[in-house]
């Protein structure tokens, strides 16, 4: 529940109604509860006849495409909150049939997939409508406690040890929008000439504008949530780099400006995948402490931070000892919750299941 939602109600009856609504909708989880989450379909545990509540879990985060009424019913029966991961700017299976939404690089060429990720042009009107309609459908169909946006950045790949950080998007929509929004006139020329002119002469304004485009997505999503399911939270899975890593690429290339995003995001979920990014497990704790300070996070106010840590073995192997370290690291700083990638990685490994149960029990 954000402060802006609360402010719309007079502080009497409206507040009582809102509190009741939240209580009914969110099951047993109160606003101040520590989130003991899992990311992924709960089925691997249910197949073993293990209840998630018996492991201390109180929230599941599930890809929107995997959600169905039976899953929600099963989760509610265990008092779990249900949050839907929502793939936002992933253009795979879209740009192939809608080439107008293909992101364009500084050479005027359609971008290639960045390892497995194919970003879409975030200003293309048809794509925007398509995603916003999908969100409306999702919120209208299922009783959800929140939407967790995923893939919210310009075309790039930040999950690999050697990230892919191209300059995009120089399609006509983006060039026109940039010019209109900033009041900067781009000299006539070919797309590569325009891209070169912008990067040479208006680099700062260009980066700033790109961050606003990403922020605008969160703003629109938040408005749809307010309209259809006002008590639901808006979360963000995001690149965990600090302000300086890769020459400031989180802001410069991905377009993530925390100072803007904290206006709309209720919960940040930094994707601190230590093994995948080939980092020391202790980095998770350091990163969450840095992030908590950077955004001045407070445990009992929004925005909150609920990191997602790595339990999954491929690439690399995450031992149960390492998993314990990163799970605790995810709860450091001003974190008020944690989850891991993935539910099945924990369910298939008894050692990791025991670690999760122990760490979550210690939070009681
Ligand atoms: Zn574009």
């Amino acid at each position: 529940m954000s402060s802006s939602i609360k402010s719309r109600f007079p502080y009497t009856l409206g507040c009582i109604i809102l509190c009741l609504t939240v209580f009914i909708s969110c099951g047993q989880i109160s606003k101040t509860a520590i989130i003991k989450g899992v990311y992924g379909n709960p089925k691997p545990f249910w197949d073993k006849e293990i209840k998630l509540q018996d492991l201390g879990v109180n929230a599941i985060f599930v890809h929107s495409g995997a959600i169905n009424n039976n899953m929600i019913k099963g989760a509610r029966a265990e008092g779990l909150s249900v949050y839907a991961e929502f793939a936002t700017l992933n253009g795979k299976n879209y740009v192939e049939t809608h080439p107008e939404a293909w992101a364009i690089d500084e050479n005027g060429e359609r971008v290639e997939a960045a390892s497995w990720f194919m970003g879409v042009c975030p200003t293309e009107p048809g794509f925007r409508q398509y995603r916003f309609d999908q969100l409306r459908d999702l919120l209208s169909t299922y009783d959800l406690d929140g939407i967790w946006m995923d893939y919210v950045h310009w075309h790039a790949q930040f999950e690999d040890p050697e990230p892919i950080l191209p300059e995009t998007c120089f399609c006509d929509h983006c060039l026109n929008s940039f010019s209109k929004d900033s009041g900067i006139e781009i000299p006539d020329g070919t797309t590569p000439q325009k891209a070169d002119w912008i990067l040479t002469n208006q680099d700062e304004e260009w980066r700033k504008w790109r961050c606003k485009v990403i922020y605008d997505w969160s703003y629109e999503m938040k408005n749809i949530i307010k309209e259809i399911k006002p008590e639901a939270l808006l979360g963000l899975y995001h690149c965990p780099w600090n302000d300086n890593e890769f020459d400031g690429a989180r802001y410069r290339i991905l377009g993530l400006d925390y100072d803007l995003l904290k206006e709309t995001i209720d919960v940040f979920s930094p994707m601190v995948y230590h093994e995948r990014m080939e980092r020391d497990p202790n980095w998770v704790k350091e990163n969450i402490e840095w992030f908590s300070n950077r955004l001045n996070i407070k445990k009992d106010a929004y925005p909150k931070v609920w990191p997602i840590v790595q339990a999954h073995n491929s690439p690399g192997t995450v031992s149960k000892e390492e998993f314990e370290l990163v799970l605790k690291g995810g709860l450091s700083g001003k974190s008020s919750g944690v989850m891991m990638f993935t539910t099945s990685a924990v369910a298939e490994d008894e050692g990791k299941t025991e670690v999760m149960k122990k760490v979550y029990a210690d939070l009681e």
Side-chain angles (χ1 to χ4, degrees), residues 168-297:
T168 66
C169 169
F170 300 97
C171 78
D172 289 342
H173 280 296
C174 287
L175 292 174
N176 290 336
S177 303
F178 170 61
S179 190
K180 190 165 152 260
D181 296 345
S182 64
I184 291 166
E185 205 169 316
I186 307 164
D188 287 341
T190 61
T191 299
Q193 284 168 336
K194 288 180 181 176
D196 183 55
W197 184 87
I198 289 172
L199 296 175
T200 307
N201 299 288
Q202 296 292 344
D203 189 75
E204 202 182 321
E205 285 300 314
W206 172 247
R207 311 281 169 203
K208 207 158 86 180
W209 173 78
R210 291 171 84 259
C211 286
K212 280 188 188 153
V213 170
I214 297 298
Y215 163 76
D216 181 64
W217 271 85
S218 70
Y219 180 84
E220 295 292 342
M221 306 270 288
K222 182 85 175 176
N223 277 345
I224 293 170
I225 291 175
K226 278 184 191 168
E227 178 194 317
I228 300 175
K229 190 79 188 285
E231 66 275 21
L233 297 175
L234 180 61
L236 178 70
Y237 289 118
H238 62 96
C239 171
W241 297 340
N242 69 27
D243 293 341
N244 304 319
E245 283 173 78
F246 301 102
D247 193 20
R250 197 198 70 238
Y251 175 98
R252 191 171 55 84
I253 299 289
L254 298 174
L256 297 180
D257 182 342
Y258 288 153
D259 297 314
L260 283 178
L261 291 167
K262 70 181 184 186
E263 301 298 322
T264 46
I265 301 299
D266 295 310
V267 183
F268 287 88
S269 292
M271 300 161 73
V272 273
Y273 298 162
H274 71 288
E275 184 66 34
R276 185 169 173 91
M277 296 180 181
E278 294 181 2
R279 299 189 183 210
D280 189 283
N282 291 304
W283 162 73
V284 174
K285 181 172 185 279
E286 287 161 23
N287 180 276
I288 301 309
E289 286 174 349
W290 173 83
F291 185 84
S292 301
N293 287 332
R294 172 68 174 77
L295 271 84
N296 195 20
I297 300 283

Side-chain angles (χ1 to χ4, degrees), residues 35-41 59-63 81-85 148 237 269 306 338-339 343:
I35 291 296
K36 294 168 275 186
V38 291
Y39 170 83
N41 196 319
I60 60 172
F61 298 75
V62 185
H63 176 57
S81 288
V82 181
Y83 301 99
E85 178 215 1
W148 251 243
Y237 289 118
S269 292
W306 305 344
V338 72
M339 69 193 84
T343 307

Side-chain angles (χ1 to χ4, degrees), residues 302-340:
Y302 292 104
K304 298 188 179 207
V305 56
W306 305 344
I308 180 165
V309 302
Q310 181 178 349
H312 189 69
N313 277 338
S314 173
T317 304
V318 178
S319 67
K320 65 176 182 178
E321 290 80 11
E322 230 176 271
F323 175 53
E324 180 167 0
L325 205 55
V326 297
L327 196 59
K328 287 178 174 169
L331 288 158
S332 62
K334 293 289 190 294
S335 164
S336 54
V338 72
M339 69 193 84
M340 76 295 297

